[in-house]
Amino acid sequence: MPSSSSLVIRVPALLFSVAVVGALIGFAWEGAVYGKRDISEEWSPPPSLDDAPEAKGTGRSPSEEVALKRALVHFPAYPRASRAELLAVDYLGPDVPIAVAWFSTQDTPEQVLSHYEKVLLDNGLPVLGQRHGVNGGWVGYWSPAKEEMRLISVLAQGGETLGFVSAGQVGPLLKRAASVPPWMPLPPELREPVTLSFNMEGASHHVVAGKLQEGTPSEVGARYRELLTQKGWEVGAVESVDVGGVAFEVMRGTTLGRATVRSRLPEAGVEVQLSLLQRGATP
C-alpha cells in the first residue's frame, strides 16, 4: 500500500490542486456558498473505526492527528479502500483553513462518486459535483453552519482510484481575487474574469474564471482552443464533462493546466475556468 510521501510523488501537484482547490473555488464562484443552496441542519456520519486516527505508531504529530480528523469527520469511510492518511493542511494560508486526506481503492471513480452521492442524498443533503470524464470528478456539499465546503474528489491514477477527502472554508480566498495577468489568454468576450493565485509545491497555481452570456460549451471551447493555439499554447484532446461541457489540457513551456467550459444552467450562457500550474518564468 503506498505511503503518503509516495502519493505526493506519484500525483502531480497540478492534478491534486485541480481536483481539490479548483472544486472549492468553483463552488464559491458559482454562488453555492452564498445562499443558492441551503441545508436545514448539520450532519456528520457516525465515527468510523477504519478512518479513526490511531493513537500511536503513526508517526504523526498531535496537530497532524487533529488535521486528519478535520478532513475525515464529515464522510464515512469508503467500504473498499485503504486506510485514509493526511495529505495536506492549511496550504492556502492561515486565513483559509483546509484539511485534505487521501485513500486508494481498486473501484472506479464512478463507483466512488456514486457511493458518496447516495450517502449524501440519503441524509437529505443537496449534492453538488462534477464529472471529469471517466477518470475523475468530485461530489460534496456546503455547510452553512460552518461556512465550509466538504468534498470527495477522485482521480484515476496508476491502475487505481485515488480519493481526496477535504473540508475547507473558501470564503476568505475570494478576497484575494485580482485582475487577470496579460499573459493568460482568455476569450475576449469573457465577462468579469478574475484570478486567484497562490504558491504550492514550489510553483504558482492560478485559477481564472469568467462568464459568457451567449454560446454553447462546444462553440466557446472551439473558439478558445483556436485562440490558445494562435497565442503559442499547445492544447490537448477535448473531453466531455458534466452535461454538454468540455475540457482540455493546455501547455506552454513550463506552464501547464486545464481549461473547462460548461453551461451555467439554469442561467443562459457558459462559464469558462482555467487552472494553471506555473513553474519558472511567465510563459
Side-chain angles (χ1 to χ4, degrees):
M1 188 171 297
S3 67
S4 59
S5 60
S6 67
L7 178 69
V8 174
I9 295 172
R10 288 164 48 212
V11 182
L14 172 66
L15 295 178
F16 167 67
S17 60
V18 169
V20 179
V21 183
L24 291 170
I25 294 170
F27 264 133
W29 264 319
E30 289 167 13
V33 172
Y34 299 106
K36 288 189 178 180
R37 307 278 179 163
D38 190 20
I39 303 171
S40 58
E41 56 186 42
E42 286 292 292
W43 168 77
S44 289
S48 166
L49 294 179
D50 289 339
D51 273 347
E54 296 177 352
K56 57 183 178 179
T58 64
R60 292 189 292 263
S61 68
S63 62
E64 289 173 334
E65 296 281 7
V66 171
L68 181 62
K69 185 176 181 179
R70 280 170 51 193
L72 297 176
V73 70
H74 305 296
F75 290 96
Y78 190 69
R80 296 175 295 279
S82 66
R83 189 182 188 89
E85 293 290 346
L86 184 65
L87 179 61
V89 59
D90 299 340
Y91 56 89
L92 300 180
D95 60 327
V96 186
I98 180 173
V100 185
W102 72 276
F103 62 84
S104 65
T105 176
Q106 294 300 310
D107 287 359
T108 66
E110 183 58 36
Q111 286 177 298
V112 178
L113 294 176
S114 296
H115 170 81
Y116 282 110
E117 279 181 335
K118 185 177 187 303
V119 168
L120 297 178
L121 289 171
D122 286 348
N123 284 275
L125 296 168
V127 180
L128 302 174
Q130 287 185 20
R131 298 295 202 272
H132 301 310
V134 298
N135 292 320
W138 49 264
V139 297
Y141 70 102
W142 163 242
S143 165
K146 300 291 186 180
E147 295 188 343
E148 186 173 66
M149 294 312 310
R150 295 160 182 174
L151 302 180
I152 296 285
S153 305
V154 296
L155 175 70
Q157 177 83 8
E160 62 184 350
T161 295
L162 304 177
F164 304 101
V165 190
S166 62
Q169 297 175 3
V170 296
L173 193 61
L174 297 185
K175 297 178 182 179
R176 304 181 190 174
S179 58
V180 180
W183 62 267
M184 291 185 186
L186 293 173
E189 65 271 29
L190 202 66
R191 297 180 56 205
E192 302 176 351
V194 293
T195 181
L196 293 169
S197 299
F198 48 90
N199 294 322
M200 180 180 177
E201 299 293 333
S204 297
H205 182 203
H206 310 279
V207 181
V208 190
K211 304 170 183 178
L212 279 76
Q213 289 293 99
E214 299 180 351
T216 66
S218 59
E219 293 169 346
V220 173
R223 295 199 302 268
Y224 191 20
R225 287 168 59 84
E226 183 178 356
L227 173 65
L228 286 163
T229 301
Q230 292 173 353
K231 297 290 186 179
W233 289 71
E234 298 179 42
V235 296
V238 175
E239 306 170 30
S240 296
V241 295
D242 295 334
V243 180
V246 298
F248 50 89
E249 307 299 320
V250 300
M251 183 174 67
R252 184 175 181 183
T254 58
T255 299
L256 68 160
R258 181 180 178 88
T260 304
V261 185
R262 54 195 179 95
S263 298
R264 296 179 58 208
L265 298 175
E267 302 176 40
V270 301
E271 176 186 295
V272 176
Q273 187 177 102
L274 178 65
S275 182
L276 297 173
L277 186 73
Q278 178 189 357
R279 297 184 182 275
T282 298

